[in-house]
Amino acid sequence: MSTEQINSDLSAIFREARKPLRVNSNELLDRHREEAFLHFIASGIPEKTEEYAHADLLPAFDRDYHLMLRPPRLKVNPDALFTCNVPGLDTRVRFTVNGWTARVDEPLELPGGVVICSLPTAAERYPGLLELHYNHHAGKRDTLASLNTAFAQDGIFINVPDGVNMDKPLQIVNLMQGNNNNVMSFQRNLAIIGKGATATILACDHTLSDNAFLSNSVTEIALSENASLDYYQVQNQHVEASRINAIFVTQERASRLDANTITLYGGFTRNNLIVALAGEGSECNLHGMYLSDKKQRVDNFTSIEHAAPGCRSNELFKGVLDDSAVADFTGRVIVRPGARKTEAYQANHNLLLSDEARVNTRPQLIIDADDVKCSHGATVGQLDDEAMFYLRSRGISEAEARLMMMFGFAHEIVGRIRLEPLREQIDNLVDKRLRGELTKCYNCVRHCKKTS
Amino acid sequence: MNKLLEIRDLHAVVDGKEILKGINLDVNAGETHAIMGPNGAGKSTLSAVLAGRENFIVTRGEVWFKGKNLLEMPAENRAREGLFLSFQYPVEIPGVSTVNFLKTAINEHRKYSGKPPYPPGEFLKMIREKMEWVGIDSKLLNRSLNEGFSGGEKKKNEIFQMAVLEPVLAILDETDSGLDIDALRVVANGVNRLKGPGNAVIVITHYQRLLDHVVPDVVHVLHDGRVVKTAGKELAIELEKKGYDWIKQQSPGEN
């Protein structure tokens, strides 16, 4: 099917869905739909655009998907909780299934006045906050995010009031599950972290059935003055899963964001990390890791806008690619006029384990201010022979030495995870992933059939 | 006598150039040998060939280790049979902690000899004990292997690994270079504690100073890819006094 055909199909779906979208959502969300869809359809699914230079989105969209316009009656499989259980990590867990939030027995308001609920509930209870923030951070920055805005009905909302340190990390477990259908979803999350407040969010994405999935999700994050957020996202889906995951962040004065994006498994993955450093002295650290093999594609697109003076940004993405996997990395840094004393550092390092694996890495620095420090670096290489020999000379087999070195390579990212139990769990997952055990035994029914 | 290592007419080529031109050497259990010689004599090549570095190609000769054909074994099996090379330039491996590395190594050794993995509690106890031998900080255990270590720390870490793996034959390739007097003593102490009737040590060095602490039974002088002189420990002292020119004049090489 051609992109034109898919665009016109999406138009037809949108026209038909107008009514059910309204019935199962909220007026505050509806307000944005028409304009967002117009923005999307004006250019349609991106093809060879500056932002999506290497991303081939057609295969992801070119399937029959079922779009759930009302909350599903699916029950959450308790095994699913087990798959993303982090031993020793006490979190508040919220589930979504195909983008719809599952009910929980916790009160709406938590200690310190923290609110975690579904997006429509938030629209009903806290319309002022939604008017201020909903689609304010994503806006019309990306056509696929606009497609999400057109269809978005549900997702997770979190508000941490000024001065509150959230007592436990929020763990969002996003599950994709189809009975007989391939499923498409448009989850929409919003996180508001108040002045001087701190929070930790861990988002895990899993697939629970063998169907093909397309999730096009958007998360908007507002960090107020002096707010601090650790945001971890871990993707472990199957090869039939396509995932477009956009995070839009606005940071006010002296706020800090640490975002860690870990892609363990998935068919097609596009992560858009769009950060606006809007307030003086704000800081963002974007770290990422991807382990890809077979025909997987992982595309990390980052854009950091230094709009105020004295902000710092740091990016480090590392990937290990085997078989005919392809990875893309774009590190766009925009330094606006007047953003003096900007510091922006960026690096992307890749290990290629086969002749067919490929990496496209693009730094894009757009600097319109004086007195700035920016650096970028990218490497694509193989395992170091000297190090291999050193390990083998101590009695370690070649296969084990390779694993140790890949693990070590990835650990530079994993080692930055502040939550120790999570760090250990991710280390363990990475080790399993590199040994090929994750796809075989972990989530067994969900992965093994599709990986050969 | 229990022969550990027999090197017969060993020739080796690196990047198309012949570096070893017929080495003959025997090492018995319980002995300490020193291999000395000027730069470019082939000392480090010899150690690399023995450890199994693949870009060093043996063109002639044979090497027997504990009666087994060493040259037929991959590097990891040489180590598991009890050969240990202390690297002149230990490699930094980011992201691999020293303790995990040692645990993996020792368990691979044990698997090779049909033993179960080291019980974790006992492993840590043993590690602590060996750390005292070489006086290294326990913080080093959780740091990435050799990453950001000073020259001295790297060399001490080599000796620490040697102490943990308890090799039958340890080859120290210029372990003394770049060490201050204190570190030198630590290294010597580690080596001396390893020494016993069942194993042997080969010390490759330019200088006499390590040999004051690790006293050799036999000293060999390597020049232009051959062993040109073999004698007792007094030879090292003589070399220190006279320099290597004296040897070069006695046995002129091709260069």
Side-chain angles (χ1 to χ4, degrees):
Chain A
M1 211 185 276
S2 68
T3 322
E4 290 75 27
Q5 185 62 49
I6 291 168
N7 288 333
S8 94
D9 284 0
L10 285 167
S11 294
I13 294 169
F14 183 67
R15 277 196 302 276
E16 283 168 34
R18 270 189 180 114
K19 209 178 145 199
L21 280 171
R22 274 162 209 275
V23 172
N24 294 292
S25 183
N26 183 286
E27 186 271 331
L28 274 168
L29 276 58
D30 290 335
R31 273 185 212 172
H32 298 269
R33 293 190 199 286
E34 297 296 330
E35 207 184 326
F37 194 79
L38 283 176
H39 177 240
F40 164 73
I41 208 67
S43 45
I45 292 166
E47 275 185 303
K48 305 250 175 287
T49 60
E50 183 60 32
E51 284 77 18
Y52 292 84
H54 297 282
D56 185 9
L57 293 158
L58 195 60
F61 279 89
D62 190 10
R63 299 187 91 127
D64 280 333
Y65 292 107
H66 179 69
L67 174 62
M68 291 182 182
L69 293 166
R70 56 188 62 82
R73 294 214 179 88
L74 293 169
K75 280 210 166 163
V76 173
N77 182 346
D79 285 350
L81 181 64
F82 175 74
T83 63
C84 33
N85 178 34
V86 182
L89 183 64
D90 188 15
T91 59
R92 295 187 187 283
V93 183
R94 296 294 184 273
F95 282 97
T96 71
V97 180
N98 301 336
W100 291 90
T101 55
R103 284 192 186 182
V104 284
D105 292 331
E106 281 198 68
L108 190 64
E109 293 220 3
L110 301 163
V114 173
V115 172
I116 304 172
C117 64
S118 75
L119 195 62
T121 304
E124 217 171 275
R125 304 286 288 268
Y126 313 98
L129 282 177
L130 260 80
E131 289 199 28
L132 213 55
H133 291 287
Y134 182 74
N135 208 34
H136 174 74
H137 309 284
K140 290 184 191 169
R141 291 196 170 88
D142 177 80
T143 52
L144 292 174
S146 288
L147 184 65
N148 172 285
T149 307
F151 282 100
Q153 290 173 284
D154 202 354
I156 302 284
F157 171 84
I158 173 170
N159 180 40
V160 184
D162 292 352
V164 172
N165 298 325
M166 222 171 108
D167 60 342
K168 294 177 187 179
L170 165 64
Q171 186 177 8
I172 303 171
V173 181
N174 300 313
L175 306 170
M176 295 299 285
Q177 181 169 12
N179 286 342
N180 298 309
N181 297 310
N182 298 333
V183 176
M184 173 160 73
S185 74
F186 296 98
Q187 183 171 336
R188 183 70 171 233
N189 309 307
L190 174 60
I192 304 164
I193 315 298
K195 287 181 186 169
T198 63
T200 298
I201 299 175
L202 163 63
C204 311
D205 279 78
H206 297 277
T207 40
L208 290 190
S209 65
D210 286 346
N211 312 81
F213 297 108
L214 171 60
S215 56
N216 177 16
S217 65
V218 170
T219 300
E220 291 182 281
I221 298 173
L223 296 184
S224 317
E225 274 182 41
N226 292 304
S228 187
L229 173 66
D230 286 351
Y231 186 83
Y232 302 102
Q233 40 184 356
V234 182
Q235 182 191 4
N236 186 27
Q237 299 184 312
H238 63 49
V239 289
E240 298 291 312
S242 299
R243 180 164 180 257
I244 300 153
N245 163 50
I247 314 285
F248 294 91
V249 189
T250 306
Q251 292 190 234
E252 298 303 337
R253 199 176 63 77
S255 61
R256 177 191 63 85
L257 167 73
D258 274 31
N260 220 311
T261 303
I262 293 171
T263 308
L264 293 174
Y265 220 91
F268 171 84
T269 304
R270 164 80 177 202
N271 292 308
N272 287 322
L273 302 167
I274 318 293
V275 180
L277 297 171
E280 193 166 345
S282 51
E283 174 187 335
C284 89
N285 302 300
L286 305 183
H287 301 139
M289 183 190 66
Y290 39 95
L291 307 172
S292 308
D293 59 9
K294 312 221 165 55
K295 289 178 177 172
Q296 290 176 259
R297 292 204 62 136
V298 182
D299 183 347
N300 284 299
F301 179 89
T302 67
S303 172
I304 302 170
E305 181 187 0
H306 284 256
C311 296
R312 281 176 63 99
S313 67
N314 244 305
E315 279 184 87
L316 177 63
F317 277 73
K318 295 184 88 171
V320 181
L321 301 160
D322 203 351
D323 304 326
S324 51
V326 181
D328 299 282
F329 172 80
T330 305
R332 179 180 291 178
V333 173
I334 306 160
V335 183
R336 296 288 182 211
R340 310 173 313 276
K341 309 268 180 213
T342 284
E343 287 183 48
Y345 308 108
Q346 180 192 111
N348 172 229
H349 300 301
N350 297 279
L351 263 185
L352 295 190
L353 304 178
S354 78
D355 291 340
E356 289 83 43
R358 262 199 0 253
V359 175
N360 305 303
T361 176
R362 297 191 297 169
Q364 297 185 329
L365 274 61
I366 303 155
I367 302 170
D368 290 324
D370 295 325
D371 193 13
V372 299
K373 279 186 204 165
C374 293
S375 73
H376 64 88
T379 59
V380 178
Q382 284 85 37
L383 290 172
D384 178 37
D385 286 342
E386 279 293 303
M388 279 292 289
F389 177 67
Y390 187 69
L391 293 174
R392 289 178 62 209
S393 81
R394 297 300 182 247
I396 296 168
S397 69
E398 193 169 346
E400 192 65 33
R402 278 168 68 92
L403 282 169
M404 286 181 89
M405 287 175 61
M406 287 191 273
F407 183 84
F409 181 81
H411 189 78
E412 197 186 346
I413 299 297
V414 182
R416 289 168 196 241
I417 296 175
R418 283 203 184 85
L419 298 168
E420 197 183 331
L422 180 64
R423 188 169 62 234
E424 282 170 13
Q425 174 78 336
I426 301 287
D427 261 344
N428 184 26
L429 285 174
V430 168
D431 187 54
K432 281 199 168 102
R433 170 69 181 80
L434 292 172
R435 288 174 191 279
E437 290 168 9
L438 201 54
T439 49
K440 286 196 193 96
C441 326
Y442 195 83
N443 281 8
C444 92
V445 272
R446 294 120 204 176
H447 288 306
C448 57
K449 284 192 198 169
K450 297 288 184 182
T451 50
S452 52
Chain B
M1 266 207 268
N2 184 2
K3 228 170 229 181
L4 279 185
L5 185 73
E6 293 179 69
I7 303 177
R8 294 279 167 268
D9 193 29
L10 185 66
H11 290 247
V13 171
V14 188
D15 296 330
K17 189 168 183 252
E18 187 170 55
I19 306 290
L20 302 186
K21 299 174 180 174
I23 302 265
N24 290 290
L25 196 75
D26 286 341
V27 177
N28 296 315
E31 291 179 345
T32 299
H33 288 235
I35 297 180
M36 303 181 76
N39 280 327
K43 302 188 300 293
S44 288
T45 300
L46 177 61
S47 67
V49 167
L50 294 178
R53 197 184 280 266
E54 274 149 2
N55 53 338
F56 288 62
I57 298 156
V58 173
T59 49
R60 207 195 309 169
E62 48 197 44
V63 180
W64 299 90
F65 178 51
K66 302 194 304 184
K68 295 178 184 172
N69 188 341
L70 187 77
L71 299 178
E72 281 181 353
M73 294 179 203
E76 54 267 38
N77 283 355
R78 299 181 192 199
R80 294 161 182 171
E81 288 285 349
L83 187 88
F84 180 90
L85 172 64
S86 168
F87 280 53
Q88 188 179 355
Y89 303 108
V91 184
E92 298 193 6
I93 305 188
V96 175
S97 73
T98 304
V99 66
N100 271 343
F101 157 73
L102 283 172
K103 199 192 284 169
T104 306
I106 201 158
N107 283 335
E108 292 242 22
H109 280 247
R110 289 173 69 94
K111 195 165 114 191
Y112 184 74
S113 48
K115 289 185 199 154
Y118 225 105
E122 285 180 38
F123 172 75
L124 283 175
K125 207 175 128 212
M126 179 271 288
I127 289 285
R128 294 233 162 78
E129 188 188 314
K130 299 292 166 70
M131 284 177 80
E132 277 175 30
W133 279 30
V134 282
I136 52 175
D137 196 332
S138 61
K139 277 185 215 143
L140 183 138
L141 281 183
N142 291 314
R143 278 171 64 186
S144 292
L145 186 57
N146 291 327
E147 195 183 32
F149 287 22
S150 69
E153 280 176 324
K154 282 182 184 168
K155 295 296 176 76
K156 278 199 214 170
N157 196 20
E158 294 291 288
I159 298 305
F160 171 50
Q161 291 173 35
M162 183 192 77
V164 168
L165 296 173
E166 296 180 331
V168 178
L169 175 64
I171 303 168
L172 310 183
D173 186 7
E174 297 195 25
T175 302
D176 53 343
S177 64
L179 289 188
D180 60 29
I181 296 292
D182 292 334
L184 192 74
R185 272 204 202 106
V186 167
V187 164
N189 182 41
V191 176
N192 287 330
R193 289 185 80 151
L194 174 80
K195 279 163 66 173
N199 50 22
V201 179
I202 298 175
V203 180
I204 295 175
T205 182
H206 279 290
Y207 308 105
Q208 158 65 20
R209 57 179 204 156
L210 179 60
L211 303 179
D212 286 340
H213 302 280
V214 180
V215 181
D217 302 299
V218 188
V219 176
H220 310 272
V221 178
L222 214 64
H223 175 51
D224 192 29
R226 292 185 192 89
V227 176
V228 294
K229 202 166 177 62
T230 296
K233 63 182 174 205
E234 65 286 350
L235 177 57
I237 298 161
E238 200 173 354
L239 283 168
E240 188 81 0
K241 274 194 214 137
K242 295 186 179 173
Y244 289 113
D245 283 344
W246 159 65
I247 292 287
K248 287 180 192 170
Q249 281 156 17
Q250 279 195 354
S251 51
E254 285 163 23
N255 302 340

